[in-house]
Amino acid sequence: MNEEWLIYRGVGEPHDGIEALPDPPPWRDFDGGPVGEPGGPADTADGNVTRRLGAHRQAAELHRPEPEELEAINAALYLRRPLLVTGYPGTGKSTLAHAVAHELKLGRVLRWPVVSRTVLQEGLYRYDAIARLQDVQIAASGGLSGGPPGGGAGGGAGREPGAAPGAGAGPGAAPGAGPGARSGPGPGTPPGIGKYIRLGPLGTALLPTERPRVLLIDELDKSDIDLPNDLLNVLEEGEFALPELERVADTEPEVQVLTDDGAKVTVRGGRVRCRAFPFIILTSNGERDFPAALLRRCIQLKLGQPGEKRLATMVRAHLGEEAAQLGADLIREFLTRSQSELVAADQLLNAIYLTHYAAPPTREDLADLLIQRLDRPR
């Protein structure tokens, strides 16, 4: 395969290849702004990197993708499209996100785990209306002292104690104080609305930055039937609105909110629009079909069961060379069983780790205990 066009090469070593990514096609060119910081915390400080890629990853050629994997990942990068990865549990679907973020130096992976109750709102942002109401009531009784940590420009300032959020300055305000003007913190002034809003993983990924963030939407097939359709507009337009901030945009055009990284960013006009479309990986165990409207918006990749070389490399990266050699018989047994049974690679890792401390025949008994088929008839 000609590798000259590849941005992500699967070499495992961080590099600046993302700088060579060409401009997006016109239909995927976004103009969000102003541009913020390059990304979240560096992945080198993220314990998930070691947990996902292995403490011995430098000594192993881990996650050397097959040519079709490299092509799909790079197609998603070039076209600014989500990557839908389907495969059995334990085939490395989620690990792809961490491998890409690590190699291309794109910061911490934003992770959105999906369950049957997950809704789009949770991925975009959360607004704690109850906490805000409580603070307003406390302020009305004179028990809350000002400060606007996390609040927007002028958020909550310039109001009489007990005034409704977003209200303008009351009688007695400093001369020239208009709606949203700040007369300085004082007793009875509740914090601004931004204190009660936190962006979710998807909302944080869509903040305008020069480099794309990496977002993992994990196990989308576990979701309610509506979530894949609810995602369509956000994935197509690269933006979303926060109605709570749009309603106060006239008096508070800029509001500071928290991100999924725990940092503060400024949201302007109550809308978030990306500049660099995030690299989004949606994973699925293949337990359900997705609507055609979602499939056409994604680059699709199907991962098969890993072979002996890939499994040995995985063991070597996580547990070291000695464990890979001592566990060679368990790897072969695992491969034999995987031909007719559904088993997962993390079961193999558990077995090799634990049996390292046990001698035969206990070793074989432990391996059988830990590597049980996942498709056992009920």
Side-chain angles (χ1 to χ4, degrees):
M1 180 181 67
N2 181 4
E3 297 187 357
E4 293 182 0
W5 72 285
L6 298 180
I7 302 299
Y8 171 73
R9 308 183 192 110
V11 296
E13 290 293 330
H15 58 79
D16 294 317
I18 194 67
E19 301 291 347
L21 186 66
D23 292 338
W27 55 91
R28 299 297 293 167
D29 194 6
F30 301 97
D31 59 358
V35 176
E37 294 299 318
D43 65 350
T44 53
D46 188 358
N48 277 333
V49 174
T50 297
R51 186 167 61 86
R52 291 287 187 174
L53 303 184
H56 305 271
R57 61 185 180 276
Q58 303 299 336
E61 295 180 353
L62 180 63
H63 302 302
R64 292 270 185 173
E66 298 295 327
E68 59 268 23
E69 294 177 39
L70 284 174
E71 290 172 353
I73 292 170
N74 282 277
L77 286 167
Y78 272 79
L79 296 174
R80 278 65 169 184
R81 288 292 187 184
L83 179 65
L84 175 60
V85 185
T86 305
Y88 290 120
T91 54
K93 301 185 298 296
S94 301
T95 305
L96 279 179
H98 295 272
V100 172
H102 176 67
E103 181 173 321
L104 299 184
K105 299 193 288 188
L106 297 179
R108 183 180 77 91
V109 173
L110 297 161
R111 182 171 179 267
W112 183 17
V114 174
V115 297
S116 60
R117 300 176 303 278
T118 300
V119 295
L120 178 62
Q121 177 80 16
E122 297 171 8
L124 294 176
Y125 72 97
R126 297 185 299 277
Y127 171 54
D128 194 343
I130 301 299
R132 189 182 185 207
L133 176 61
Q134 290 174 339
D135 284 353
V136 169
Q137 291 173 337
I138 294 173
S141 65
L144 187 65
S145 179
R159 296 194 300 266
E160 289 186 339
R182 186 181 300 279
S183 58
T189 303
I193 188 174
K195 177 183 177 181
Y196 310 98
I197 293 177
R198 180 165 189 157
L199 299 181
L202 177 56
T204 300
L206 291 173
L207 288 169
T209 55
E210 288 291 354
R211 288 188 171 195
R213 293 297 302 269
V214 176
L215 170 65
L216 172 63
I217 303 180
D218 212 9
E219 298 193 333
L220 183 61
D221 53 336
K222 298 289 194 299
S223 72
D224 178 84
I225 192 171
D226 293 325
L227 183 58
N229 285 311
D230 294 341
L231 283 167
L232 297 179
N233 187 67
V234 175
L235 296 181
E236 189 66 28
E237 302 301 330
E239 67 176 345
F240 67 98
L242 295 83
E244 296 84 358
L245 299 187
E246 285 186 316
R247 286 195 291 268
V248 299
D250 289 342
T251 56
E252 298 181 59
E254 297 185 355
V255 178
Q256 275 198 331
V257 302
L258 280 178
T259 69
D260 188 69
D261 298 314
K264 291 181 181 179
V265 296
T266 299
V267 174
R268 293 169 173 82
R271 299 189 71 85
V272 171
R273 180 173 174 84
C274 71
R275 172 67 64 89
F277 189 79
F279 179 72
I280 301 176
I281 288 186
L282 307 98
T283 71
S284 168
N285 293 327
E287 296 179 359
R288 62 178 283 193
D289 294 327
F290 294 117
L294 176 68
L295 296 179
R296 74 174 180 83
R297 287 172 168 83
C298 298
I299 306 299
Q300 299 179 53
L301 172 64
K302 184 173 178 60
L303 294 182
Q305 288 283 14
E308 183 173 1
K309 182 179 178 181
R310 183 74 173 265
L311 286 173
T313 302
M314 188 181 301
V315 172
R316 191 175 297 112
H318 285 277
L319 300 176
E321 181 64 37
E322 181 183 1
Q325 294 178 0
L326 294 176
D329 59 325
L330 295 181
I331 294 175
R332 289 191 294 270
E333 174 64 21
F334 178 89
L335 286 169
T336 300
R337 292 182 55 183
S338 68
Q339 301 302 313
S340 58
E341 303 174 9
L342 178 59
V343 287
D346 54 347
Q347 294 175 300
L348 176 64
L349 289 174
N350 289 335
I352 292 179
Y353 173 82
L354 189 57
T355 57
H356 179 72
Y357 299 98
T362 304
R363 182 174 183 271
E364 286 73 17
D365 293 339
L366 284 174
D368 290 338
L369 173 67
L370 295 174
I371 308 178
Q372 297 193 30
R373 62 185 301 173
L374 304 176
D375 55 349
R376 185 186 302 277
R378 302 190 179 190

